[in-house]
Amino acid sequence: MTKLSPLQIERLKYQPKLPKSLQNGVNSLELVEGSATQSVRDQEQIKALFANTYGKPTVTFKTTSSSSSSEVRNVGVILSGGQAPGGHNVIAGLYDSLKNANPANKLYGFLGGPSGIIEGKYVEFDDEFINDYRNTGGFDIIGSGRTKLETEEQFQKSLAVCKSLGISAVVIIGGDDSNTNAALLAEWFVKNNAGIQVIGCPKTIDGDLKNEQIEISFGFDTATKTYAELIGNIQRDANSAKKYWHFIKIMGRSASHVALEAALQTQPNITLISEEVEAKKMSLSSIIDYMTDIIVKRSENGKNFGIAVVPEGLIEFIPEMGSMISNLNDIMASLEKDSSFVNASANEKFSIVESKLSSENAKVYASLPALIKTQLLADRDPHGNVQVSKIETEKLLIEMISERLSQLKAEGKYSGKFSAQSHFFGYEGRCAFPSNFDADYCYSLGYNAFALINFGLTGYLSSVRNLTQPADEWLAGGIPLTMMMNMEKRHGEMKPVIQKALVKLDGPVFKKLQDNRQDWAMNDRYLFPGAIQYFGPSSVCDITTITLQLERGKTLASV
Ligand code: FBP
């Protein structure tokens, strides 16, 4: 066996906590049905597209004193999309649940994401295999991928692979796009009498797959704590050297939950929130004004340093940029397949794109530095999204602010020094050792996924809630995936997709930032969260995020 680090050795021994209802295994459960559901929007279209899986009730589990036997089942599991801390524990929970229900049950892991089920690439798990991965970060147990499962051919191939392995249920661990795949596959299997159930698990560090029943997606807790540790360290450095402005872009493809949570944990001088930028219709130029104003004022107070937190998805929320990117996405759907475009030089590509964009959008595109123009043309992901992680917004802001400050200097309105460092925190947090919260939550989600399978459900998302209470009091159940869906444009066409939950500007989490940001801008109130702790007092090791606590109506002592 490969050599393990001391922390790995200790974490392998950690026994994740389960909600009380699941502690006696899935054979002593009773299913309680809630009321029928409907999709968040576009009900008629979603109902027509998901005729067999639409409108089902939410469900919860209750323990019974009697224990039933469970028929033998083979289950397949897929890790889909971006890595998020705790994925291995979802698989460990699913494995333990299924083996506890009937030791003859088998769990197969499809390799490399959804392509594994199409291509028939898999492994069968056993105790030894699973035990090496308990409470570890990463998705390397079977790998992940972003293949979109949507065509008849892919479904047919998936069916053939499942049939050959005797698989009667598939668990897809993924974010909004991957759970959209899960919903499509579930519907197709029912429509074609395949006898194969599909259950989703809410994963994504982005924290945007949530509603009343899904209080948070797994990975958000660990990733935000990891970024907060790094921001805190940089704040200490900035406050020591007092010579740099640090511009820190924080991952989160679309919603700003990650940046907002990391900011509440660290209290930097500037925090941009994409949803606010969109709601206030802030142009790029007005964002530069806002940031420059703080930089100038701090400089007047003798502080030529500071910290600015920028959400990864910002660029798409700046109205003129969002409109240009959406126009660009439509154009790129065909240009990406056009070899004369693919082989053209950078300047030729810019001209081709500008000639195809609407005149307003072409002007916006043309005004950007070449670096950003090139990054905007990078391949779309399989779901047709521009890959915002590849767009260096933090550098764009630094460049534009530098220009603005030079102008002010020339006008005699600024005499400070502006020296900036840029950072992008994303990959640093996606595979961290799961926090105790994520270790417990993920294990419970996986354990619960098998309970949903055992009751014959399909097209459901594993739901474990009441998460600000001790794990004992968590509530296990499921919600129909179609409940979270609406119609959106992808690759130039309207498609059914799970709606992303964005930061609510009238919610308590954003309000906490709003109430404090002026003070944090000028007076340095930096917090230093330090590294995630796994051993020690519960007040340090087991606390959940500020976002979750505020959204669940908790009052915070620390912020
Ligand atoms: P998921 O929604 O699949 O969980 O992925 C989220 C994410 O981590 C985003 O925050 C980020 O924009 C994206 O993945 C980057 O993905 P990739 O590394 O595949 O480019």
Side-chain angles (χ1 to χ4, degrees):
M1 190 171 145
T2 38
K3 197 166 179 297
L4 301 178
S5 72
L7 184 63
Q8 263 177 293
I9 294 167
E10 285 310 313
R11 286 309 277 170
L12 290 179
K13 297 179 200 158
Y14 180 74
Q15 180 51 54
K17 303 178 199 86
L18 278 173
K20 206 170 200 92
S21 59
L22 299 179
Q23 286 171 9
N24 294 332
V26 303
N27 292 340
S28 355
L29 289 180
E30 190 185 311
L31 185 77
V32 183
E33 286 194 358
S35 40
T37 58
Q38 50 176 347
S39 62
V40 281
R41 247 179 29 197
D42 308 318
Q43 288 85 6
E44 286 314 310
Q45 283 147 309
I46 302 290
K47 191 174 174 182
L49 290 165
F50 294 88
N52 299 284
T53 46
Y54 187 85
K56 303 273 186 237
T58 57
V59 298
T60 50
F61 296 119
K62 231 169 63 180
T63 19
T64 55
S65 44
S66 60
S67 173
S68 56
S69 63
S70 165
E71 67 183 70
V72 178
R73 290 174 201 272
N74 291 352
V75 175
V77 63
I78 298 171
L79 287 166
S80 181
Q83 283 67 252
H88 290 163
N89 267 27
V90 179
I91 297 182
L94 176 63
Y95 178 84
D96 289 352
S97 179
L98 144 168
K99 288 287 180 190
N100 178 280
N102 188 334
N105 288 342
K106 287 184 184 169
L107 181 63
Y108 293 98
F110 289 110
L111 300 175
S115 62
I117 193 173
I118 301 167
E119 293 162 12
K121 294 191 177 143
Y122 63 89
V123 288
E124 186 187 335
F125 293 112
D126 59 19
D127 290 355
E128 206 184 334
F129 193 160
I130 290 283
N131 288 346
D132 281 352
Y133 288 90
R134 290 181 190 272
N135 310 305
T136 57
F139 277 9
D140 43 326
I141 189 168
I142 46 173
S144 186
R146 289 197 185 274
T147 302
K148 176 127 184 73
L149 274 176
E150 60 178 351
T151 66
E152 178 72 20
E153 189 194 351
Q154 289 174 327
F155 293 154
Q156 292 284 7
K157 284 187 176 167
S158 306
L159 173 62
V161 169
C162 289
K163 287 281 173 211
S164 71
L165 294 169
I167 287 176
S168 61
V170 177
V171 175
I172 298 184
I173 302 170
D176 53 333
D177 285 328
S178 312
N179 276 297
T180 297
N181 290 349
L184 291 167
L185 189 62
E187 175 66 23
W188 191 89
F189 279 154
V190 181
K191 196 168 128 202
N192 291 280
N193 293 316
I196 302 173
Q197 301 158 244
V198 181
I199 299 295
C201 270
K203 169 237 70 170
T204 177
I205 62 156
D206 293 3
D208 56 4
L209 182 63
K210 63 178 168 183
N211 57 25
E212 267 310 300
Q213 276 82 14
I214 306 295
E215 294 177 359
I216 193 62
S217 53
F218 79 76
F220 178 77
D221 187 271
T222 310
T224 52
K225 285 172 179 162
T226 306
Y227 305 140
E229 179 205 350
L230 299 175
I231 296 170
N233 294 350
I234 287 180
Q235 290 185 152
R236 269 252 139 96
D237 197 290
N239 205 27
S240 306
K242 302 197 190 299
K243 62 176 180 181
Y244 293 128
W245 262 93
H246 292 270
F247 283 62
I248 309 175
K249 186 174 76 171
I250 304 284
M251 215 176 226
R253 223 209 72 76
S254 197
S256 306
H257 300 293
V258 182
L260 178 54
E261 170 65 26
L264 292 178
Q265 287 188 33
T266 54
Q267 307 186 172
N269 305 105
I270 298 177
T271 306
L272 299 181
I273 297 297
S274 306
E275 291 83 343
E276 181 187 27
V277 164
E278 183 175 63
K280 291 186 175 165
K281 299 191 172 40
M282 288 173 82
S283 62
L284 184 54
S285 166
S286 65
I287 294 171
I288 300 299
D289 285 345
Y290 168 72
M291 297 178 91
T292 307
D293 188 50
I294 293 175
I295 291 166
V296 170
K297 285 200 178 115
R298 283 180 64 83
S299 171
E300 285 164 1
N301 289 352
K303 293 176 180 175
N304 285 307
F305 68 93
I307 310 293
V309 166
V310 178
E312 181 188 54
L314 176 72
I315 195 146
E316 279 190 298
F317 285 76
I318 303 171
E320 75 267 22
M321 294 285 171
S323 150
M324 183 269 289
I325 291 173
S326 151
N327 194 176
L328 192 59
N329 284 346
D330 292 349
I331 292 171
M332 290 303 288
S334 58
L335 282 182
E336 274 178 352
K337 293 179 208 134
D338 176 347
S339 61
S340 62
F341 178 79
V342 173
N343 298 321
S345 70
N347 281 334
E348 283 164 353
K349 282 184 180 166
F350 299 161
S351 309
I352 297 172
V353 163
E354 282 163 35
S355 71
K356 291 187 178 289
L357 287 168
S358 73
S359 66
E360 265 314 294
N361 291 331
K363 261 191 243 158
V364 173
Y365 183 77
S367 72
L368 296 170
L371 175 76
I372 304 293
K373 281 205 244 182
T374 307
Q375 291 168 352
L376 280 166
L377 299 186
D379 289 346
R380 269 46 195 161
D381 73 10
H383 304 272
N385 306 314
V386 66
Q387 298 193 56
V388 279
S389 61
K390 293 193 176 153
I391 301 174
E392 294 174 297
T393 328
E394 67 285 19
K395 292 195 179 151
L396 175 68
L397 295 174
I398 291 173
E399 192 175 316
M400 294 183 75
I401 290 169
S402 297
E403 272 173 32
R404 186 68 58 87
L405 288 171
S406 306
Q407 279 167 8
L408 291 175
K409 207 165 238 176
E411 292 164 17
K413 294 178 184 157
Y414 171 69
S415 58
K417 256 184 82 186
F418 179 68
S419 181
Q421 302 279 358
S422 62
H423 312 263
F424 169 36
F425 297 151
Y427 297 99
E428 294 79 352
R430 295 202 314 183
C431 284
F433 275 100
S435 60
N436 284 350
F437 173 84
D438 268 330
D440 297 344
Y441 181 41
C442 290
Y443 187 79
S444 301
L445 283 170
Y447 209 96
N448 182 58
F450 187 70
L452 295 167
I453 292 170
N454 213 30
F455 278 100
L457 299 167
T458 191
Y460 274 74
L461 190 60
S462 178
S463 152
V464 174
R465 54 200 176 89
N466 207 24
L467 297 172
T468 48
Q469 299 305 318
D472 246 20
E473 294 168 38
W474 290 355
L475 303 170
I479 64 164
L481 284 160
T482 51
M483 191 181 161
M484 303 175 84
M485 299 186 90
N486 70 166
M487 302 297 292
E488 287 176 25
K489 205 173 197 186
R490 295 292 162 92
H491 286 300
E493 273 176 60
M494 292 308 281
K495 299 259 176 160
V497 293
I498 288 181
Q499 191 185 52
K500 279 185 197 299
L502 300 179
V503 169
K504 288 192 176 137
L505 298 179
D506 55 356
V509 191
F510 178 71
K511 189 164 187 312
K512 188 58 91 183
L513 174 74
Q514 212 175 20
D515 290 349
N516 290 288
R517 56 156 53 137
Q518 241 179 319
D519 177 37
W520 298 351
M522 302 312 297
N523 308 306
D524 304 333
R525 310 283 190 203
Y526 304 143
L527 290 178
F528 311 108
I532 295 174
Q533 301 295 310
Y534 302 94
F535 310 97
S538 181
S539 60
V540 177
C541 300
D542 295 327
I543 52 168
T544 56
T545 57
I546 294 170
T547 301
L548 191 54
Q549 293 185 62
L550 289 175
E551 283 180 349
R552 297 291 126 199
K554 293 250 166 193
T555 39
L556 301 169
S558 61
V559 188

